[in-house]
Amino acid sequence: MLACPIPHVLLPTGAAMPQLGFGTYKVDPEVTFDVVSQAIELGYRHIDTAQMYANEAQVGQAWEQSGLSRDQVFLTSKLNNGNHQPERARDSFAQTLDDLRTDYVDLFLIHWPLPSLYDGDLMMPWRVLEEFFDQGRARAIGVSNFQPDHLKVLFNHAEIQPMVSQVEAHPYLPNNAVRDMARHAGMVTQAWSPLARGRAAHDPLLASIGEKYGASASQVALRWATMRGDVVFPKSLSVQRQQENFMIFDYELSEQDMESISALDEGEAGRTGSHPDTMNRL
Ligand SMILES: NC(=O)c1ccc[n+]([C@@H]2O[C@H](COP(=O)([O-])OP(=O)(O)OC[C@H]3O[C@@H](n4cnc5c(N)ncnc54)[C@H](OP(=O)(O)O)[C@@H]3O)[C@@H](O)[C@H]2O)c1
């Protein structure tokens, strides 16, 4: 397969993260080994998983059996909602490393802020992530689904500032307020569900813009996100669609096309996942 090299973005630590990766949400553990192995075979070098997805062990097997050395693959995982208390965070993180067959992750995130649980104490899990960073077992640390108010708490109280903000972002929910705040703080934004869980593939505007560049609607959505500077990791069980999603760096969208895509913004109506202010499930 011929593909353009994948660009990298620099983390505040100076480490490089591939701007395109592979997502594993709702990838059944039964098929995760095959699906992730296939993605690695196609050239993906950045895998996003989470304790919640229950497929870290199969992700670990896939990269380990790929023949890649550890430094050739960027591995992210996330602290599950039931694991915010320090001892549970420490135990579950040790299990994450075991499952992923590694002694460090490239990035570890708090998965959800859970503002109505744990007395809304966002610093409690963050202090433990700082510990993992200091130990070198998480090479970068950050947060997922943190709203501007949640980020402010960390900015004001963290000893080690968060390096990455992973939030839902796609043309229907550009999520600009939290992206702007993260950018000003020097954080990298990762856009989760960059295809709006498949909706983008059927969008007539994205399809018509794509015709000009010989790109599919999905490829246009991913290119728009990466041209905004976000890191993406679309998920697909199909080899063809994994390949399609990988081939996005061989053209640039015009400024006018970028603006037309940004105008698809539906605000809250465009959200596909839970709202971080009200998501309080363990
Ligand atoms: N931090 C968080 O709270 C959070 C939340 C959600 C997601 N994430 C991360 O972000 C990743 C991506 O998000 P996501 O999996 O929710 O959604 P997504 O990547 O936006 O979309 C995945 C859906 O789109 C379909 N699809 C993929 N490529 C396609 C293409 N080229 N043409 C047509 N359809 C296509 C897939 O179906 P097929 O499999 O049939 O191709 C699947 O149904 C996750 O896997 C996970 O790693 C993080």
Side-chain angles (χ1 to χ4, degrees), residues 194-251:
L195 300 173
R197 303 203 166 152
R199 178 180 169 190
H202 310 289
D203 188 288
L205 176 77
L206 298 177
S208 77
I209 288 175
E211 277 173 24
K212 289 193 264 176
Y213 303 95
S216 69
S218 299
Q219 288 172 322
V220 169
L222 297 172
R223 193 71 188 106
W224 172 84
T226 53
M227 283 185 62
R228 295 205 316 155
D230 293 352
V231 174
V232 291
F233 23 80
K235 188 261 325 234
S236 179
L237 299 183
S238 125
V239 180
Q240 287 74 24
R241 290 189 285 281
Q242 285 182 8
Q243 184 156 0
E244 178 184 336
N245 297 342
F246 196 70
M247 310 279 276
I248 58 166
F249 292 107
D250 54 350
Y251 71 98

Short mmCIF file of all heavy atoms in Angstrom, two decimals, residues 194-251:
data_model
loop_
_atom_site.label_atom_id
_atom_site.label_comp_id
_atom_site.label_asym_id
_atom_site.label_seq_id
_atom_site.Cartn_x
_atom_site.Cartn_y
_atom_site.Cartn_z
N PRO A 194 -14.06 10.94 15.38
CA PRO A 194 -13.86 11.96 14.34
C PRO A 194 -14.79 11.77 13.14
O PRO A 194 -14.97 12.69 12.35
CB PRO A 194 -12.39 11.77 13.93
CG PRO A 194 -12.09 10.34 14.27
CD PRO A 194 -12.88 10.04 15.51
N LEU A 195 -15.39 10.57 13.04
CA LEU A 195 -16.37 10.33 11.96
C LEU A 195 -17.79 10.46 12.48
O LEU A 195 -18.74 10.04 11.81
CB LEU A 195 -16.16 8.93 11.36
CG LEU A 195 -14.77 8.70 10.75
CD1 LEU A 195 -14.59 7.24 10.35
CD2 LEU A 195 -14.56 9.61 9.54
N ALA A 196 -17.92 11.01 13.70
CA ALA A 196 -19.22 11.09 14.35
C ALA A 196 -19.89 9.71 14.33
O ALA A 196 -21.07 9.57 14.03
CB ALA A 196 -20.12 12.16 13.71
N ARG A 197 -19.08 8.72 14.63
CA ARG A 197 -19.52 7.31 14.71
C ARG A 197 -20.11 6.81 13.40
O ARG A 197 -21.07 6.04 13.40
CB ARG A 197 -20.48 7.11 15.88
CG ARG A 197 -19.82 7.55 17.19
CD ARG A 197 -20.39 6.95 18.43
NE ARG A 197 -19.47 7.17 19.53
CZ ARG A 197 -19.83 7.27 20.80
NH1 ARG A 197 -21.09 7.14 21.15
NH2 ARG A 197 -18.94 7.46 21.74
N GLY A 198 -19.58 7.28 12.30
CA GLY A 198 -20.00 6.80 10.98
C GLY A 198 -20.90 7.76 10.24
O GLY A 198 -21.06 7.67 9.02
N ARG A 199 -21.50 8.72 10.94
CA ARG A 199 -22.42 9.66 10.29
C ARG A 199 -21.74 10.42 9.16
O ARG A 199 -22.34 10.67 8.10
CB ARG A 199 -22.96 10.64 11.34
CG ARG A 199 -23.88 11.68 10.75
CD ARG A 199 -24.41 12.66 11.80
NE ARG A 199 -25.05 13.78 11.13
CZ ARG A 199 -25.44 14.90 11.73
NH1 ARG A 199 -25.28 15.03 13.04
NH2 ARG A 199 -26.00 15.87 11.04
N ALA A 200 -20.48 10.81 9.37
CA ALA A 200 -19.77 11.63 8.38
C ALA A 200 -19.69 10.93 7.02
O ALA A 200 -19.68 11.58 5.97
CB ALA A 200 -18.37 11.96 8.89
N ALA A 201 -19.65 9.60 7.04
CA ALA A 201 -19.50 8.84 5.79
C ALA A 201 -20.67 9.07 4.83
O ALA A 201 -20.55 8.88 3.63
CB ALA A 201 -19.36 7.36 6.10
N HIS A 202 -21.82 9.47 5.37
CA HIS A 202 -23.02 9.62 4.54
C HIS A 202 -23.40 11.08 4.34
O HIS A 202 -24.51 11.38 3.90
CB HIS A 202 -24.19 8.88 5.21
CG HIS A 202 -23.84 7.48 5.60
ND1 HIS A 202 -23.65 6.49 4.66
CD2 HIS A 202 -23.57 6.91 6.81
CE1 HIS A 202 -23.30 5.37 5.28
NE2 HIS A 202 -23.24 5.61 6.57
N ASP A 203 -22.48 11.98 4.65
CA ASP A 203 -22.81 13.41 4.58
C ASP A 203 -22.66 13.92 3.15
O ASP A 203 -21.57 13.83 2.56
CB ASP A 203 -21.87 14.19 5.51
CG ASP A 203 -22.29 15.64 5.63
OD1 ASP A 203 -22.11 16.40 4.65
OD2 ASP A 203 -22.80 16.00 6.70
N PRO A 204 -23.72 14.49 2.56
CA PRO A 204 -23.64 14.93 1.17
C PRO A 204 -22.63 16.06 0.94
O PRO A 204 -21.94 16.07 -0.08
CB PRO A 204 -25.06 15.42 0.84
CG PRO A 204 -25.90 15.21 2.05
CD PRO A 204 -25.05 14.64 3.15
N LEU A 205 -22.51 16.97 1.89
CA LEU A 205 -21.54 18.06 1.70
C LEU A 205 -20.11 17.51 1.71
O LEU A 205 -19.29 17.85 0.84
CB LEU A 205 -21.69 19.14 2.78
CG LEU A 205 -20.63 20.23 2.67
CD1 LEU A 205 -20.97 21.22 1.53
CD2 LEU A 205 -20.42 20.99 3.97
N LEU A 206 -19.81 16.66 2.67
CA LEU A 206 -18.46 16.08 2.74
C LEU A 206 -18.18 15.27 1.48
O LEU A 206 -17.06 15.31 0.93
CB LEU A 206 -18.31 15.19 3.99
CG LEU A 206 -18.47 15.90 5.35
CD1 LEU A 206 -18.37 14.89 6.49
CD2 LEU A 206 -17.44 17.00 5.53
N ALA A 207 -19.21 14.56 0.98
CA ALA A 207 -19.02 13.76 -0.23
C ALA A 207 -18.74 14.66 -1.43
O ALA A 207 -17.85 14.38 -2.24
CB ALA A 207 -20.25 12.89 -0.47
N SER A 208 -19.48 15.77 -1.53
CA SER A 208 -19.29 16.63 -2.71
C SER A 208 -17.95 17.36 -2.64
O SER A 208 -17.27 17.53 -3.65
CB SER A 208 -20.46 17.60 -2.91
OG SER A 208 -20.36 18.65 -2.00
N ILE A 209 -17.53 17.75 -1.45
CA ILE A 209 -16.19 18.35 -1.32
C ILE A 209 -15.14 17.30 -1.69
O ILE A 209 -14.17 17.58 -2.42
CB ILE A 209 -15.96 18.89 0.11
CG1 ILE A 209 -16.81 20.14 0.33
CG2 ILE A 209 -14.48 19.18 0.38
CD1 ILE A 209 -16.78 20.72 1.72
N GLY A 210 -15.34 16.08 -1.24
CA GLY A 210 -14.39 15.01 -1.51
C GLY A 210 -14.19 14.75 -3.00
O GLY A 210 -13.08 14.41 -3.43
N GLU A 211 -15.25 14.91 -3.78
CA GLU A 211 -15.14 14.65 -5.23
C GLU A 211 -14.03 15.49 -5.86
O GLU A 211 -13.35 15.06 -6.78
CB GLU A 211 -16.48 14.95 -5.92
CG GLU A 211 -17.44 13.78 -5.81
CD GLU A 211 -18.83 14.13 -6.34
OE1 GLU A 211 -18.95 15.06 -7.18
OE2 GLU A 211 -19.79 13.48 -5.88
N LYS A 212 -13.86 16.71 -5.35
CA LYS A 212 -12.84 17.60 -5.92
C LYS A 212 -11.43 17.06 -5.70
O LYS A 212 -10.51 17.40 -6.43
CB LYS A 212 -12.92 18.98 -5.25
CG LYS A 212 -14.13 19.77 -5.62
CD LYS A 212 -13.96 21.21 -5.18
CE LYS A 212 -14.63 21.43 -3.83
NZ LYS A 212 -14.44 22.76 -3.30
N TYR A 213 -11.27 16.29 -4.64
CA TYR A 213 -9.92 15.84 -4.26
C TYR A 213 -9.74 14.34 -4.48
O TYR A 213 -8.69 13.79 -4.14
CB TYR A 213 -9.67 16.14 -2.77
CG TYR A 213 -9.83 17.60 -2.39
CD1 TYR A 213 -11.04 18.06 -1.87
CD2 TYR A 213 -8.79 18.50 -2.56
CE1 TYR A 213 -11.20 19.39 -1.50
CE2 TYR A 213 -8.93 19.84 -2.19
CZ TYR A 213 -10.15 20.28 -1.67
OH TYR A 213 -10.30 21.59 -1.31
N GLY A 214 -10.79 13.69 -4.99
CA GLY A 214 -10.72 12.22 -5.12
C GLY A 214 -10.73 11.55 -3.77
O GLY A 214 -10.08 10.51 -3.57
N ALA A 215 -11.46 12.14 -2.82
CA ALA A 215 -11.49 11.60 -1.45
C ALA A 215 -12.93 11.25 -1.07
O ALA A 215 -13.88 11.85 -1.58
CB ALA A 215 -10.93 12.64 -0.47
N SER A 216 -13.08 10.31 -0.15
CA SER A 216 -14.42 9.96 0.33
C SER A 216 -14.86 10.97 1.40
O SER A 216 -14.03 11.73 1.94
CB SER A 216 -14.42 8.56 0.94
OG SER A 216 -13.68 8.57 2.15
N ALA A 217 -16.14 10.92 1.74
CA ALA A 217 -16.66 11.82 2.78
C ALA A 217 -15.92 11.58 4.11
O ALA A 217 -15.58 12.53 4.82
CB ALA A 217 -18.16 11.58 2.95
N SER A 218 -15.65 10.33 4.43
CA SER A 218 -14.94 10.03 5.69
C SER A 218 -13.53 10.61 5.65
O SER A 218 -13.05 11.20 6.65
CB SER A 218 -14.83 8.52 5.92
OG SER A 218 -16.10 7.97 6.02
N GLN A 219 -12.87 10.46 4.52
CA GLN A 219 -11.51 10.99 4.42
C GLN A 219 -11.52 12.52 4.58
O GLN A 219 -10.60 13.09 5.18
CB GLN A 219 -10.89 10.61 3.07
CG GLN A 219 -10.52 9.13 2.99
CD GLN A 219 -10.09 8.70 1.60
OE1 GLN A 219 -10.64 9.16 0.60
NE2 GLN A 219 -9.11 7.81 1.53
N VAL A 220 -12.55 13.16 4.05
CA VAL A 220 -12.64 14.63 4.18
C VAL A 220 -12.82 15.02 5.65
O VAL A 220 -12.18 15.96 6.14
CB VAL A 220 -13.78 15.18 3.31
CG1 VAL A 220 -14.06 16.65 3.62
CG2 VAL A 220 -13.45 15.01 1.83
N ALA A 221 -13.67 14.28 6.37
CA ALA A 221 -13.88 14.60 7.80
C ALA A 221 -12.56 14.46 8.58
O ALA A 221 -12.23 15.28 9.43
CB ALA A 221 -14.94 13.68 8.39
N LEU A 222 -11.80 13.42 8.25
CA LEU A 222 -10.53 13.19 8.96
C LEU A 222 -9.49 14.24 8.57
O LEU A 222 -8.70 14.70 9.41
CB LEU A 222 -10.01 11.78 8.68
CG LEU A 222 -10.92 10.63 9.17
CD1 LEU A 222 -10.40 9.28 8.66
CD2 LEU A 222 -11.01 10.62 10.70
N ARG A 223 -9.52 14.62 7.29
CA ARG A 223 -8.54 15.64 6.85
C ARG A 223 -8.85 16.98 7.50
O ARG A 223 -7.93 17.71 7.91
CB ARG A 223 -8.57 15.76 5.31
CG ARG A 223 -7.40 16.54 4.76
CD ARG A 223 -6.11 15.75 4.90
NE ARG A 223 -4.93 16.52 4.56
CZ ARG A 223 -4.05 16.98 5.46
NH1 ARG A 223 -4.23 16.78 6.75
NH2 ARG A 223 -2.99 17.65 5.08
N TRP A 224 -10.13 17.31 7.57
CA TRP A 224 -10.56 18.56 8.23
C TRP A 224 -10.04 18.58 9.67
O TRP A 224 -9.47 19.58 10.13
CB TRP A 224 -12.08 18.65 8.17
CG TRP A 224 -12.70 19.76 8.96
CD1 TRP A 224 -12.87 21.06 8.58
CD2 TRP A 224 -13.27 19.64 10.28
NE1 TRP A 224 -13.51 21.76 9.59
CE2 TRP A 224 -13.76 20.91 10.63
CE3 TRP A 224 -13.42 18.59 11.18
CZ2 TRP A 224 -14.39 21.16 11.86
CZ3 TRP A 224 -14.04 18.83 12.41
CH2 TRP A 224 -14.51 20.11 12.73
N ALA A 225 -10.23 17.49 10.38
CA ALA A 225 -9.80 17.44 11.79
C ALA A 225 -8.29 17.60 11.90
O ALA A 225 -7.79 18.35 12.74
CB ALA A 225 -10.24 16.12 12.42
N THR A 226 -7.54 16.91 11.03
CA THR A 226 -6.08 16.98 11.14
C THR A 226 -5.57 18.35 10.70
O THR A 226 -4.60 18.86 11.25
CB THR A 226 -5.38 15.85 10.36
OG1 THR A 226 -5.86 15.85 9.01
CG2 THR A 226 -5.67 14.49 10.99
N MET A 227 -6.26 18.96 9.72
CA MET A 227 -5.83 20.31 9.32
C MET A 227 -6.14 21.34 10.41
O MET A 227 -5.53 22.40 10.46
CB MET A 227 -6.45 20.71 7.97
CG MET A 227 -5.72 20.02 6.80
SD MET A 227 -6.29 20.52 5.18
CE MET A 227 -5.91 22.27 5.16
N ARG A 228 -7.09 21.02 11.28
CA ARG A 228 -7.32 21.90 12.45
C ARG A 228 -6.26 21.65 13.53
O ARG A 228 -6.26 22.32 14.55
CB ARG A 228 -8.70 21.62 13.06
CG ARG A 228 -9.85 21.96 12.15
CD ARG A 228 -11.14 22.27 12.85
NE ARG A 228 -11.53 21.38 13.92
CZ ARG A 228 -12.34 21.74 14.91
NH1 ARG A 228 -12.84 22.97 14.95
NH2 ARG A 228 -12.68 20.88 15.85
N GLY A 229 -5.46 20.63 13.34
CA GLY A 229 -4.39 20.36 14.30
C GLY A 229 -4.70 19.23 15.26
O GLY A 229 -3.88 18.91 16.12
N ASP A 230 -5.89 18.63 15.14
CA ASP A 230 -6.25 17.57 16.09
C ASP A 230 -5.62 16.23 15.69
O ASP A 230 -5.32 15.98 14.52
CB ASP A 230 -7.78 17.39 16.13
CG ASP A 230 -8.48 18.60 16.74
OD1 ASP A 230 -7.80 19.50 17.26
OD2 ASP A 230 -9.73 18.63 16.69
N VAL A 231 -5.47 15.39 16.68
CA VAL A 231 -5.04 14.01 16.47
C VAL A 231 -6.32 13.17 16.37
O VAL A 231 -7.27 13.39 17.13
CB VAL A 231 -4.19 13.53 17.67
CG1 VAL A 231 -3.84 12.06 17.57
CG2 VAL A 231 -2.93 14.39 17.78
N VAL A 232 -6.36 12.22 15.44
CA VAL A 232 -7.57 11.39 15.26
C VAL A 232 -7.21 9.91 15.32
O VAL A 232 -6.09 9.53 14.96
CB VAL A 232 -8.28 11.69 13.92
CG1 VAL A 232 -8.91 13.07 13.92
CG2 VAL A 232 -7.33 11.53 12.73
N PHE A 233 -8.17 9.09 15.75
CA PHE A 233 -7.98 7.63 15.70
C PHE A 233 -9.33 6.99 15.38
O PHE A 233 -10.01 6.45 16.26
CB PHE A 233 -7.38 7.06 17.00
CG PHE A 233 -7.59 7.92 18.21
CD1 PHE A 233 -8.80 7.91 18.88
CD2 PHE A 233 -6.59 8.76 18.66
CE1 PHE A 233 -9.00 8.70 19.99
CE2 PHE A 233 -6.77 9.57 19.78
CZ PHE A 233 -7.99 9.53 20.44
N PRO A 234 -9.72 7.07 14.09
CA PRO A 234 -10.99 6.45 13.68
C PRO A 234 -10.94 4.94 13.93
O PRO A 234 -9.87 4.34 13.89
CB PRO A 234 -11.06 6.75 12.19
CG PRO A 234 -9.64 6.98 11.76
CD PRO A 234 -8.96 7.60 12.95
N LYS A 235 -12.12 4.38 14.19
CA LYS A 235 -12.22 2.94 14.41
C LYS A 235 -12.93 2.30 13.23
O LYS A 235 -13.94 2.83 12.76
CB LYS A 235 -13.04 2.69 15.68
CG LYS A 235 -13.08 1.29 16.16
CD LYS A 235 -14.30 0.45 15.82
CE LYS A 235 -15.63 1.07 15.77
NZ LYS A 235 -16.65 0.43 16.59
N SER A 236 -12.41 1.23 12.71
CA SER A 236 -13.16 0.45 11.74
C SER A 236 -12.79 -1.01 11.86
O SER A 236 -11.63 -1.36 12.03
CB SER A 236 -12.89 0.92 10.31
OG SER A 236 -13.65 0.09 9.44
N LEU A 237 -13.80 -1.86 11.76
CA LEU A 237 -13.56 -3.30 11.79
C LEU A 237 -13.18 -3.80 10.40
O LEU A 237 -12.71 -4.92 10.25
CB LEU A 237 -14.83 -4.03 12.27
CG LEU A 237 -15.31 -3.68 13.69
CD1 LEU A 237 -16.53 -4.52 14.06
CD2 LEU A 237 -14.20 -3.89 14.72
N SER A 238 -13.43 -2.99 9.39
CA SER A 238 -13.20 -3.45 8.01
C SER A 238 -11.82 -3.04 7.52
O SER A 238 -11.39 -1.90 7.71
CB SER A 238 -14.30 -2.89 7.11
OG SER A 238 -13.77 -2.18 6.02
N VAL A 239 -11.14 -3.98 6.88
CA VAL A 239 -9.80 -3.69 6.35
C VAL A 239 -9.87 -2.55 5.34
O VAL A 239 -9.03 -1.65 5.34
CB VAL A 239 -9.22 -4.95 5.66
CG1 VAL A 239 -7.83 -4.66 5.11
CG2 VAL A 239 -9.18 -6.10 6.60
N GLN A 240 -10.88 -2.58 4.46
CA GLN A 240 -10.99 -1.55 3.42
C GLN A 240 -11.15 -0.17 4.07
O GLN A 240 -10.53 0.80 3.65
CB GLN A 240 -12.18 -1.82 2.49
CG GLN A 240 -12.00 -2.98 1.54
CD GLN A 240 -12.09 -4.35 2.23
OE1 GLN A 240 -12.71 -4.47 3.28
NE2 GLN A 240 -11.45 -5.35 1.67
N ARG A 241 -12.01 -0.10 5.09
CA ARG A 241 -12.24 1.22 5.69
C ARG A 241 -11.05 1.66 6.56
O ARG A 241 -10.73 2.83 6.64
CB ARG A 241 -13.56 1.23 6.47
CG ARG A 241 -14.76 1.16 5.53
CD ARG A 241 -16.08 1.39 6.24
NE ARG A 241 -16.52 0.27 7.04
CZ ARG A 241 -17.12 -0.83 6.57
NH1 ARG A 241 -17.35 -0.95 5.27
NH2 ARG A 241 -17.50 -1.80 7.38
N GLN A 242 -10.37 0.70 7.17
CA GLN A 242 -9.12 1.05 7.89
C GLN A 242 -8.14 1.68 6.90
O GLN A 242 -7.48 2.67 7.19
CB GLN A 242 -8.46 -0.19 8.49
CG GLN A 242 -9.14 -0.75 9.72
CD GLN A 242 -8.39 -1.97 10.27
OE1 GLN A 242 -7.30 -2.31 9.82
NE2 GLN A 242 -8.98 -2.63 11.24
N GLN A 243 -8.07 1.07 5.73
CA GLN A 243 -7.14 1.55 4.70
C GLN A 243 -7.57 2.94 4.20
O GLN A 243 -6.75 3.85 4.08
CB GLN A 243 -7.11 0.56 3.54
CG GLN A 243 -6.12 0.92 2.48
CD GLN A 243 -5.68 -0.31 1.69
OE1 GLN A 243 -6.13 -1.42 1.94
NE2 GLN A 243 -4.82 -0.10 0.72
N GLU A 244 -8.87 3.08 3.96
CA GLU A 244 -9.41 4.38 3.51
C GLU A 244 -9.07 5.47 4.54
O GLU A 244 -8.60 6.55 4.18
CB GLU A 244 -10.94 4.22 3.37
CG GLU A 244 -11.69 5.47 2.97
CD GLU A 244 -13.20 5.21 2.96
OE1 GLU A 244 -13.62 4.03 2.81
OE2 GLU A 244 -13.95 6.19 3.12
N ASN A 245 -9.27 5.17 5.80
CA ASN A 245 -9.06 6.17 6.85
C ASN A 245 -7.58 6.52 7.02
O ASN A 245 -7.24 7.55 7.60
CB ASN A 245 -9.62 5.67 8.19
CG ASN A 245 -11.12 5.46 8.13
OD1 ASN A 245 -11.80 5.97 7.24
ND2 ASN A 245 -11.66 4.68 9.06
N PHE A 246 -6.72 5.63 6.52
CA PHE A 246 -5.28 5.84 6.67
C PHE A 246 -4.73 6.76 5.58
O PHE A 246 -3.66 7.35 5.76
CB PHE A 246 -4.59 4.47 6.60
CG PHE A 246 -3.17 4.46 7.09
CD1 PHE A 246 -2.89 4.62 8.44
CD2 PHE A 246 -2.11 4.30 6.22
CE1 PHE A 246 -1.58 4.63 8.91
CE2 PHE A 246 -0.80 4.29 6.68
CZ PHE A 246 -0.54 4.46 8.02
N MET A 247 -5.48 6.87 4.48
CA MET A 247 -4.96 7.60 3.30
C MET A 247 -5.53 9.01 3.26
O MET A 247 -6.41 9.30 2.44
CB MET A 247 -5.36 6.85 2.02
CG MET A 247 -5.03 5.38 2.05
SD MET A 247 -3.33 5.07 1.66
CE MET A 247 -3.41 5.07 -0.10
N ILE A 248 -5.09 9.87 4.12
CA ILE A 248 -5.73 11.19 4.19
C ILE A 248 -4.74 12.34 4.07
O ILE A 248 -5.15 13.50 4.11
CB ILE A 248 -6.54 11.37 5.51
CG1 ILE A 248 -5.62 11.19 6.74
CG2 ILE A 248 -7.71 10.40 5.56
CD1 ILE A 248 -6.25 11.67 8.03
N PHE A 249 -3.47 12.04 3.93
CA PHE A 249 -2.49 13.12 4.01
C PHE A 249 -1.91 13.52 2.64
O PHE A 249 -0.91 14.22 2.59
CB PHE A 249 -1.37 12.76 4.98
CG PHE A 249 -1.84 12.70 6.42
CD1 PHE A 249 -1.99 11.48 7.07
CD2 PHE A 249 -2.17 13.86 7.11
CE1 PHE A 249 -2.43 11.43 8.38
CE2 PHE A 249 -2.62 13.82 8.43
CZ PHE A 249 -2.75 12.59 9.06
N ASP A 250 -2.57 13.07 1.55
CA ASP A 250 -1.98 13.34 0.23
C ASP A 250 -2.59 14.58 -0.45
O ASP A 250 -2.37 14.80 -1.63
CB ASP A 250 -2.09 12.10 -0.67
CG ASP A 250 -3.51 11.59 -0.79
OD1 ASP A 250 -4.39 12.07 -0.04
OD2 ASP A 250 -3.75 10.72 -1.64
N TYR A 251 -3.39 15.35 0.27
CA TYR A 251 -3.93 16.59 -0.30
C TYR A 251 -4.28 17.52 0.85
O TYR A 251 -4.36 17.10 2.01
CB TYR A 251 -5.17 16.31 -1.16
CG TYR A 251 -6.37 15.92 -0.33
CD1 TYR A 251 -7.35 16.87 0.01
CD2 TYR A 251 -6.51 14.64 0.17
CE1 TYR A 251 -8.42 16.52 0.80
CE2 TYR A 251 -7.57 14.29 0.97
CZ TYR A 251 -8.53 15.23 1.28
OH TYR A 251 -9.58 14.88 2.10
#
